Amino acid sequence: MNARALTVCLAAAWLVGCQWLPEQSRNATAEIDTVVKDEIESCYAEVPGFADDACLLHDWVAFGLASQRGDDEWRARMRERLAGSRTEMRLARAVVLSWGPPSQWKQASELFKADLHAAPPRLQPLLRYWLNEIERRRDQQSRLTDSEQARTALVEEKEALTQKLDALTDIERNINSRQRTE
């Protein structure tokens, strides 16, 4: 048997391999998938906390997505609900603020920085990622503001130079008209 035929046979066996698994194995895999799916769907509290370790990451990720997709009204209601001083409330408020307007990003960053260390260890990488993301957006916003200010200054400088050039052109015309009349 040549190498090409052997390769084709192995690829075909690999592609249809699932059909050769015993029925029990496929049913067990389907049951596990169903249990995991049910477990995940039982999570997603509207306001996440630190208490339910099984749903900890699922709840916070879902809350982050809800914050990102929510409108200004939703965020305002959530900020009111999260007005407490407990660490989980402050971190949840930071998530909500981080998806609000740029004017709220500094406060979100400060809340993340102040309370990240007090979060459960399993949650800290996610919160650190969100902190880094908000810092990246703040940096981009700052650079955008700086470049907009520089552009405005250049437009003003161009306008001033245009006025000076127009004044010099008028002076040159006056000089030329006097020379012609003399």
Side-chain angles (χ1 to χ4, degrees):
M1 187 185 283
N2 66 22
R4 178 180 277 173
L6 180 60
T7 303
V8 170
C9 288
L10 288 174
W14 180 76
L15 289 172
V16 295
C18 292
Q19 294 175 351
W20 299 104
L21 289 174
E23 189 67 28
Q24 278 184 326
S25 176
R26 277 188 271 167
N27 289 343
T29 303
E31 287 175 19
I32 291 171
D33 289 343
T34 303
V35 168
V36 169
K37 186 177 178 183
D38 290 344
E39 181 181 309
I40 290 171
E41 287 176 356
S42 70
C43 295
Y44 303 130
E46 187 178 8
V47 176
F50 295 158
D52 189 2
D53 193 43
C55 293
L56 183 69
L57 286 175
H58 297 295
D59 284 347
W60 281 88
V61 168
F63 186 71
L65 289 172
S67 296
Q68 182 179 6
R69 294 175 183 153
D71 59 6
D72 291 337
E73 261 182 57
W74 183 88
R75 282 191 209 72
R77 282 193 315 270
M78 291 309 293
R79 282 194 315 272
E80 288 174 13
R81 285 182 66 185
L82 299 167
S85 61
R86 290 190 349 240
T87 302
E88 60 228 37
M89 296 294 236
R90 289 170 48 88
L91 287 170
R93 192 165 61 244
V95 173
V96 171
L97 290 170
S98 69
W99 289 107
S103 61
Q104 296 175 344
W105 294 353
K106 182 178 182 195
Q107 185 182 4
S109 175
E110 290 169 354
L111 287 169
F112 274 128
K113 288 175 184 175
D115 294 326
L116 188 129
H117 69 282
R122 281 185 56 203
L123 187 58
Q124 287 183 10
L126 177 64
L127 297 174
R128 194 170 294 110
Y129 172 78
W130 285 341
L131 171 61
N132 291 340
E133 179 65 22
I134 193 77
E135 289 298 325
R136 184 187 62 78
R137 283 190 277 144
R138 286 182 66 208
D139 182 55
Q140 285 179 338
Q141 182 68 30
S142 173
R143 284 188 281 150
L144 177 64
T145 301
D146 292 347
S147 67
E148 187 61 31
Q149 288 173 346
R151 189 188 70 76
T152 302
L154 287 173
V155 166
E156 290 171 359
E157 183 180 353
K158 177 187 175 262
E159 183 61 35
L161 289 173
T162 301
Q163 288 175 356
K164 287 179 183 178
L165 182 61
D166 289 345
L168 288 173
T169 303
D170 288 342
I171 292 171
E172 184 181 12
R173 280 188 199 134
N174 284 336
I175 292 172
N176 287 339
S177 72
R178 283 184 190 168
Q179 286 178 350
R180 277 189 233 139
T181 56
E182 290 177 0

